[in-house]
Amino acid sequence: MNRALTLDDLVLAGIALGAGLLLAFMSRTLLRWLAKHAKRTRWSGDDVIVDALRSVVPWAAIAGGAAAAAAVLPLTRAVQHRTDQLLEVWLIFVVTLSAARVVAGLVRSVTQSRSGVAGSATIFVNITRVLVLAIGFLIVLQTLGISIAPLLTALGVGGLAVALALQDTLANLFAGIHILASKTVQPGDYIRLSSGEDGYVVDINWRQTTVRQLSNNLVVIPNGQLAKANMTNYTRPEQQLTVPVQVGVGYDSDLEHVERVTAEVVTEVMRDVAGAVPDHEAAVRFHTFGDSRIGFTVILGVGEFSDQYRIKHEFIKRLHRRYREEGIRIPAPTRTVALQQGAVIPQQRGGEDRVPGSVRAE
């Protein structure tokens, strides 16, 4: 426009800008009220969406008020164009940040809902956030009139050099994606590697996997190493598992009685101890004629890996007390020393056998 600036123009611009600020304040108040109600729902996605709207709607209202104010002012065509571009870039920037927050929050929500105990797979969250920000950056360049074709070409050529320089990092990145996509390991699983590391998987990010041991220490494992290692997952395909406990009784024991008493103790422990499997069927399997005892295995059912220590502790205490009440003997290994022709020959024996002509000492 070529006309001079008047007081009416300033008043109208002030009204438009004030209306934008008022609308921003009202929308922020309304969205704060919606956020309180969203927290009461089970789905965490509505919290993410409302939180993102609290960032984008007020700024969009301010941008709209500024655009209306600029429209009523007698600006030149060039200034008006630059002002519109600036407001568009501002709005695109705010929308991009809010969209990145929404998408990352929804991905985190879905990941946690499918991961079990303590899921937080940030590798997908980070990848989606970077993709949204990159798209927003390209839109900003296009809005400013900057051609993105040469930029994409330069990124393609430079990407080859970066890929060669970051081979290990990219290997860990794709290994992490493969691990999560194949669902062999998920956050919340209890794993044990052939190298000895074990614990709950806390997080799988773009470079490494974090494992929390039962001692509450964190072990950081590169994704490439985790993908190559022999690994036992104690959570999949089922979280419940069985735990064997080795027991032995004397040769003079009534094995039918021993089996019955042991099964009763197993049933009692499965019913009373937290973390046990109440419907687990007691299993007692005799397997060895030992030096001083008949060995057998008792199989216990536990809800998840860390429960086994508490359940084994309680089972051994109750079984020992019950055996004493029933008169079932748990023999200790004995060592017989035979003195023969001046030599001392230690012999491990379970009974009371003696070498003829020898002196027995214990």
Side-chain angles (χ1 to χ4, degrees), residues 103-149:
V103 175
L106 292 177
V107 171
R108 183 182 292 109
S109 176
V110 172
T111 305
Q112 290 178 346
S113 65
R114 294 184 179 181
S115 298
V117 180
S120 176
T122 59
I123 182 172
F124 290 139
V125 175
N126 293 333
I127 290 176
T128 53
R129 182 183 290 116
V130 169
L131 288 177
V132 173
L133 292 177
I135 294 173
F137 177 72
L138 294 177
I139 294 176
V140 168
L141 294 180
Q142 194 71 28
T143 302
L144 294 175
I146 301 174
S147 178
I148 62 175

Side-chain angles (χ1 to χ4, degrees), residues 157-240:
V157 175
L160 295 177
V162 173
L164 293 176
L166 301 177
Q167 290 185 21
D168 293 339
T169 301
L170 292 177
N172 289 325
L173 172 63
F174 289 110
I177 296 175
H178 170 71
I179 290 171
L180 288 175
S182 62
K183 296 184 179 181
T184 55
V185 178
Q186 295 287 313
D189 292 354
Y190 192 96
I191 63 173
R192 174 174 293 162
L193 304 184
S194 56
S195 54
E197 296 89 351
D198 65 338
Y200 290 99
V201 177
V202 177
D203 186 29
I204 304 176
N205 58 31
W206 63 274
R207 183 181 181 276
Q208 61 202 17
T209 297
T210 305
V211 175
R212 178 176 57 83
Q213 296 180 316
L214 295 179
S215 58
N216 216 27
N217 298 322
L218 293 180
V219 179
V220 178
I221 306 170
N223 292 333
Q225 179 180 340
L226 181 65
K228 296 177 182 178
N230 295 329
M231 176 182 59
T232 303
N233 192 331
Y234 291 96
T235 306
R236 299 179 184 275
E238 294 182 358
Q239 192 171 11
Q240 294 183 358

Side-chain angles (χ1 to χ4, degrees), residues 18-356:
L21 292 174
L22 179 62
L23 183 60
F25 175 76
M26 294 176 59
S27 62
R28 189 171 182 82
T29 303
L30 176 62
L31 290 170
R32 187 183 297 113
W33 177 79
L34 290 176
K36 294 180 180 179
H37 288 273
K39 291 181 180 179
R40 301 176 184 176
T41 62
R42 294 184 178 181
W43 185 49
S44 59
D46 53 357
D47 298 334
V48 176
I49 295 175
V50 173
D51 183 62
L53 290 177
R54 289 176 63 182
S55 301
V56 66
V57 173
W59 287 110
I62 294 174
V72 300
L73 293 175
L75 303 177
T76 62
R77 183 172 301 177
V79 174
Q80 183 70 41
H81 177 69
R82 292 300 179 187
T83 303
D84 293 340
Q85 271 191 336
L86 180 62
L87 292 175
E88 288 180 10
V89 170
W90 180 16
L91 189 58
I92 292 172
F93 178 74
V94 173
V95 171
T96 300
L97 291 180
S98 300
R101 183 182 302 177
V102 170
V103 175
L106 292 177
V107 171
R108 183 182 292 109
S109 176
V110 172
T111 305
Q112 290 178 346
S113 65
R114 294 184 179 181
S115 298
V117 180
S120 176
T122 59
I123 182 172
F124 290 139
V125 175
N126 293 333
I127 290 176
T128 53
R129 182 183 290 116
V130 169
L131 288 177
V132 173
L133 292 177
I135 294 173
F137 177 72
L138 294 177
I139 294 176
V140 168
L141 294 180
Q142 194 71 28
T143 302
L144 294 175
I146 301 174
S147 178
I148 62 175
L151 178 61
L152 295 177
T153 303
L155 289 176
V157 175
L160 295 177
V162 173
L164 293 176
L166 301 177
Q167 290 185 21
D168 293 339
T169 301
L170 292 177
N172 289 325
L173 172 63
F174 289 110
I177 296 175
H178 170 71
I179 290 171
L180 288 175
S182 62
K183 296 184 179 181
T184 55
V185 178
Q186 295 287 313
D189 292 354
Y190 192 96
I191 63 173
R192 174 174 293 162
L193 304 184
S194 56
S195 54
E197 296 89 351
D198 65 338
Y200 290 99
V201 177
V202 177
D203 186 29
I204 304 176
N205 58 31
W206 63 274
R207 183 181 181 276
Q208 61 202 17
T209 297
T210 305
V211 175
R212 178 176 57 83
Q213 296 180 316
L214 295 179
S215 58
N216 216 27
N217 298 322
L218 293 180
V219 179
V220 178
I221 306 170
N223 292 333
Q225 179 180 340
L226 181 65
K228 296 177 182 178
N230 295 329
M231 176 182 59
T232 303
N233 192 331
Y234 291 96
T235 306
R236 299 179 184 275
E238 294 182 358
Q239 192 171 11
Q240 294 183 358
L241 65 155
T242 57
V243 177
V245 179
Q246 304 300 323
V247 190
V249 295
Y251 277 91
D252 56 348
S253 302
D254 182 356
L255 298 187
E256 295 292 339
H257 183 220
V258 170
E259 183 177 6
R260 182 173 62 255
V261 170
T262 305
E264 292 175 359
V265 175
V266 172
T267 303
E268 177 185 342
V269 170
M270 293 295 101
R271 183 184 65 245
D272 299 341
V273 180
V277 182
D279 57 351
H280 173 74
E281 183 178 355
V284 180
R285 300 292 183 264
F286 296 96
H287 55 71
T288 304
F289 287 102
D291 293 334
S292 59
R293 64 182 68 188
I294 296 178
F296 61 95
T297 300
V298 181
I299 301 176
L300 306 176
V302 299
E304 61 105 7
F305 186 86
S306 62
D307 292 332
Q308 62 176 301
Y309 302 104
R310 178 176 61 256
I311 295 172
K312 288 168 67 175
H313 165 80
E314 193 65 30
F315 170 72
I316 291 174
K317 287 199 309 181
R318 298 191 185 193
L319 186 67
H320 181 261
R321 181 173 61 248
R322 184 68 184 278
Y323 277 6
R324 292 183 62 182
E325 295 173 356
E326 298 290 338
I328 299 174
R329 187 171 62 90
I330 304 176
T334 60
R335 181 175 293 274
T336 301
V337 179
L339 302 179
Q340 193 173 32
Q341 295 180 357
V344 179
I345 305 175
Q347 297 180 356
Q348 181 74 26
R349 295 184 178 276
E352 299 296 330
D353 297 338
R354 297 187 183 185
V355 178

